[in-house]
Amino acid sequence: MKKIVVLAVLLLTAGCSTYTSRMEVSRDLYYEGQYQEALLSVNKLVKDASDNDIYLYLLERGKIRLAYGDYDSAIVDLQEAERRFHEIEKTYSVGEFMKSSLISAEKIEYQPESHEKILINAYLLLAYWLEGDVEGSYVERNRVNNRLQQYTDQLSQADWEKLDVPFARYLVALLYEMEGLNDDARIEYDLIRKLRPEAAPPEANSNLTEIAVFTEFGRAPVKVSREIRGYFDKKDGKLFAVFLVPGIPQPLIFDAGGAGGLDLTDPGVIFTFAYPEYQRQPRQVEYCAIVIDNVEASRTVPLDNVEETAMAAFKKKQGSILFKAALRTALKTSAQTKLADKGGAVVDILGKVLSAVERADTRSWQTLPAEIQVFRMECEPGPHAVYVRYYGEGGRLLGTSPSCRFKVEKGKKVILYFPGPS
Amino acid sequence: MKKWFLLLICLFLVAGCGKPATREIDIATDTAEDADFSSADLAKITDAMINSMEANGFYQKYAGQHGGEKPILLLAKSLLNKTDEHIETRLVLEKIRTAMMKDNMAQFVDDQAFDMALDQLNLQATDLYDNSKAARLGRFVGAKFILRGTITNIRKQDGRETINFFNVTLDIFEVETLLIKWTDEVEFKRASTKGKVRR
């Protein structure tokens, strides 16, 4: 009977929500280009967010607002999140540590990865620029520069190649060029050239009349919670561990007689080992092309593979994530055995419930693209119209972006930003 | 066990009972909260710049050459902000303008009142107003000098420590000649360290 209850608890709690599942609707709407609907959905998440997640939701909303063209509000959201992430950087909270060790991995305030922190300022730069606040965008350029130094200067060459954010560098370089600081721009372009030789322009030239287009496509990878659940059982005086592994219909049963020093007088100890796994998201867009004044000018050039950067950053931290997950499993299992001997039934039940609801921390900035590409072209001063054509497998045209009309003055540069589909 | 349980409940109950605390801060003795640009820096910059102008004697010299007339200045739209902070730099210039006018050093043309003044003049020129008492057209005074400047910072971040160096340079140049009549700089460097443990 007790076994059936334990099994039922495990099955019932297996579907509890994670950050990735809560973001699903907003994420889908965003990548479908339904920004208004995505905002409505994410607004609800912001309203209901816990103190641990609120700033991450603000990042998501800031990014959606940027895509929607609501630059003022995007700045408010991104800046608020940036301020908090800066405040808590390299600090620890004892309470949160306890809660995240005992209750859930998501009970600790979200701290973004370094590339995410750099991207916050890169998107703020874009928001200021697109809003027409040139001075504000120069300030953000300086902030991006600081962040790049802070997070990438200490990296080894191999790590730098994986974790740098060339998109942010390109924006910095472009704004230096616009301010007439060609030497500073050249330094950044030289670094980009080492990572993406085809993306860097041959030289920095403040006097050229140019259009620079940034296109995003594909979905950022998302973390999912993987759980190995099970319980300990006693049969004929022998201890067995019963594992319920996702994807395997039959439980796996192991003789755990001598392992772990578990001496069960009462069966029904639940355990869950939950760990996050980064999943690449399916891509429809293979490449895109820029159409200027109704003429397809050229394909965009790969600039920043955000997906690869996220995967590399995760891989670097995977060891410590797994260690913490194992520690949590051990604590919750111990609550039902050794601690239960001292604490009684309350501790035992608490241990069972906490083990059953155990989920991995699946938080990450999920409205980021998989890839950012760039297109740059010298043009005649005057009015122009630009849109993007998105192509899928075999060169099949998947769709186009809305057209953007603008005027370029002689000797000036125009920046265009097209957040794209998946 | 019961005692501990009761204590825990009491702690939860009183946790939200605190009254929001408000206190007045004396601006004169205000200090910076962290390594970023702060309100305390405004007073520091204004005092240093006004002292420098007085020591330079530019406005006394001008008054001597123009029969006691004070120089007419215009503020630049803002300081050129080369920092990595979104600072309301106009405030620096306005504080200096206020101090200069209080000290009777110069007259200022209001660079932001042009449209408002023009609207009033046009309105007063209509029959709605008593034309004999209306403000007259053609009496705007052009500035002879412009007060402008740049604010720059260099920030270093090392773990939880931030070191921030600021330089504020101001100058007054003559519109007719482009000659700089006065210039000075204020520099300060500040380090702040965050605590390891947060609430």
Side-chain angles (χ1 to χ4, degrees), chain A residues 230-243 252-257 262 264 267-269 271:
Chain A
Y231 57 92
F232 288 105
D233 195 9
K234 224 175 180 191
K235 207 174 179 185
D236 304 329
K238 276 188 172 177
L239 186 66
F240 291 96
V242 183
F243 288 86
L252 303 175
I253 302 169
F254 295 94
D255 183 345
L262 277 170
L264 291 189
V269 171
F271 62 84

Side-chain angles (χ1 to χ4, degrees), chain B residues 7 10 12 42-43 51 61 73 75 80-81 90 97 117 141 147 152 162:
Chain B
L7 183 69
C10 289
F12 270 112
L42 282 172
N51 288 340
K61 214 181 288 170
L73 271 79
L75 290 189
L80 186 58
N81 184 0
R90 171 84 185 180
R97 180 174 67 186
V141 178
L147 173 65
T152 315
T162 305

